[in-house]
Each structure stands twice: as structure tokens, then as C-alpha cells.
Amino acid sequence: MEGDTSNKGGTTMQYVMLIHQGDTPTPNDPEAWAKLSEAEQQQVYADYQALNQTPGVTPGLGMQPPELATTVRVEDGKTLTTDGPFVSVKEALGGYFVLEADDLDAAIEIASRVPAARLGGAVEVRPVVEYRA
């Protein structure tokens, strides 16, 4: 099996846009969210709605706060669970979406419109690998 992330023949590529919340205020943290003005809160909602309606975007799902995660590992055939995320809370994933774009530059431009990218978080742009037998 071989993974292919190249953009051959001028076709579009798919990217998974991983939204890392970082210090981004969200409605899940009412105290932090309240630090944004009503206009800023409404702009965040509007920006995510606009992203979801952007051609080439397949909306993903938001996630509950990382504190509610359960991490699963298997060691010596035994399933082990730990309360909380695999990474530190600040690094935890807050959501994702899939983008079909002409190239990385176009994907970066869309990523720059994600509110988390300007409010203390980041967006990781990762090409999708198509596995072939």
C-alpha cells in the first residue's frame, strides 16, 4: 500500500484542517467567552458559518472540551484508559473540517479565516493521503 499526497494533473487536493483551540475563547468557557464583546462573539459564529458554506469545504464536527476526553492505549494486549486528552489541554484539537483546494496556498488562505487562528489557537493544514493497493 502506498500513500500519495501529490497534486498530479492539476486536480484538486484534499486537506484536513485541524483546529487547535489553544487559548481561543469559546462558548465552552463562559468566563473567557464573556471577554469578547457581543459583536466579536457574533463575528466568530458568522466566520465559522461562512467557512462551512465555502465551496470545497466539507464541515467537520466540533468537539467537547478536551477535559471530557478518554484516551485509550493497548499495552501487552490489555486496554488501558486515562481520563483526559492524549496531549496537553492547550494543544488539544477543538474541531476539524475537510477542504478540497487547488493547492497548499489556497488551503492556507482558507485556514487563515478560521477564528481560532486569530484568537490564540492555530489551524494545522494536513494533506489527505489516498491509499492504493
Side-chain angles (χ1 to χ4, degrees):
M1 215 181 269
E2 183 176 305
D4 184 5
T5 61
S6 63
N7 187 358
K8 297 175 185 155
T11 60
T12 59
M13 291 186 60
Q14 283 192 326
Y15 298 89
V16 175
M17 313 295 268
L18 303 170
I19 303 169
H20 297 272
Q21 291 302 126
D23 294 329
T24 304
T26 70
N28 291 328
D29 181 351
E31 186 177 322
W33 187 244
K35 292 179 182 175
L36 296 178
S37 70
E38 180 69 27
E40 289 170 316
Q41 292 174 5
Q42 292 306 312
Q43 189 62 54
V44 168
Y45 288 127
D47 289 347
Y48 278 114
Q49 184 65 29
L51 281 167
N52 287 341
Q53 295 174 353
T54 299
V57 169
T58 300
L61 300 171
M63 298 179 200
Q64 291 288 337
E67 297 85 0
L68 298 178
T70 299
T71 299
V72 178
R73 291 181 178 84
V74 177
E75 291 181 13
D76 299 321
K78 183 177 179 186
T79 301
L80 307 172
T81 62
T82 306
D83 290 340
F86 179 69
V87 297
S88 75
V89 170
K90 188 171 183 169
E91 298 168 339
L93 201 59
Y96 71 93
F97 61 94
V98 177
L99 173 68
E100 193 164 314
D102 290 335
D103 55 33
L104 180 59
D105 290 336
I108 290 170
E109 192 280 321
I110 296 294
S112 73
R113 294 196 261 156
V114 175
R118 70 172 182 270
L119 294 172
V123 178
E124 181 179 339
V125 178
R126 196 178 295 187
V128 171
V129 175
E130 293 185 31
Y131 289 101
R132 299 181 189 149

